Amino acid sequence: MTRHYTEIVVVGDDKKGLIARVTSLLFERGINIEDLDQAVRDGVFRMTLHVDTSEMIVKDETLRDDLTDLGDELGVDIQVRFPSDRQTDRIAVLVTKESHCLEALFQAREEGELDAEISVVIGNHDDLEPLAAERGVDFHDIGDEKGVPDENHLLDLLAEYEVDLVVLARYMRILSPNVVFRYESRIINVHPSLLPAFPGAEAYRQAREEGVRVAGVTAHYVTTDLDQGPIITQRVFDAPAGAEVEALERRGQPLEAAALVEAVRLHLDDAVSVYHGRTEFRDDVDRSQYQLGLSEEADALRPSEPRDGAGLEYDVDMDIAPKSSEDD
């Protein structure tokens, strides 16, 4: 689904008739629905629509007001994002105590790698407030003394700063469906393992205990299923025999930052799309400008043999291998 469509997101308590009321309003205003997806998790209803508003019979603001009024009547939150709403996306970065990913995002923005504004940093602890202050970026602490976040405050801040993309820069809390549903396909996380291996907490420790020889990190879109969202980028590193958890962390942290920055860049450039739970390059994208997995240098070291069919002479015209004697 490309971004020239208007996006409408409905979130609230699950109740009968929601889909019909919203779609009827759109039909009455000459709006064609191109895609509709809905889900319910923990009693929270979410519906995401991508609609063509090019021939609608009302103005943008009238549609926004009408949907807001309908949401008030139904007791749900309805958000509308028109393609023309903003030239530059606004990013909210969620953090806890580790600084390396936040620093990398700031550096990438300053060097022009990210076509977006980092508008606000939100933490469940205040440890990284000085780092945000150095860059002149607002910081808000939404955690209590134990770091438990106030998600209503979080949602208020995301709305106040008109956030387009939420980036979890080693934010050590699980977002509830109430947040995830409102920012479907607009939340990116980095996880310290090669997902789907070792989801959840203590991923480096899990890798150490399983004795892996190659470990890595994954940047992915966040869904309501923990660490199972569509993978965007991955990076790998060697895990020496006997390496302790701290050693794996030291190897992994720079790659966490690199994978997260690259995933954010891919999203902002609209270079990837999500289809059936997988991310794929869009057809018109210059793939050489991005790195999803191994670097070219690392890929060049990958052995090419042995492989099925090695050593067989192929029929050039038919592009098939003749049967070996073992096939008879």
Side-chain angles (χ1 to χ4, degrees), residues 148-202:
V148 177
D150 181 344
E151 286 201 340
N152 289 328
H153 190 190
L154 171 60
L155 288 171
D156 289 343
L157 289 170
L158 296 179
E160 176 185 340
Y161 284 89
E162 298 181 336
V163 167
D164 299 291
L165 176 65
V166 180
V167 180
L168 309 186
R170 299 300 285 137
Y171 179 67
M172 309 303 288
R173 288 286 175 173
I174 298 173
L175 296 175
S176 74
N178 199 35
V179 176
V180 174
F181 278 167
R182 284 174 163 81
Y183 292 88
E184 192 88 11
S185 299
R186 292 192 286 140
I187 307 176
I188 296 176
N189 181 46
V190 64
H191 182 75
S193 80
L194 289 174
L195 292 174
F198 312 134
E202 302 283 351

Side-chain angles (χ1 to χ4, degrees), residues 283-321:
D283 292 339
D284 57 348
V285 169
D286 180 1
R287 304 183 181 196
S288 66
Q289 302 300 310
Y290 306 97
Q291 182 184 338
L292 296 188
L294 287 177
S295 65
E296 292 183 2
E297 294 81 2
D299 190 55
L301 299 176
R302 179 175 51 85
S304 59
E305 294 183 359
R307 63 184 185 276
D308 288 349
L312 295 177
E313 293 184 3
Y314 281 79
D315 185 316
V316 176
D317 294 327
M318 299 295 291
D319 193 29
I320 58 173

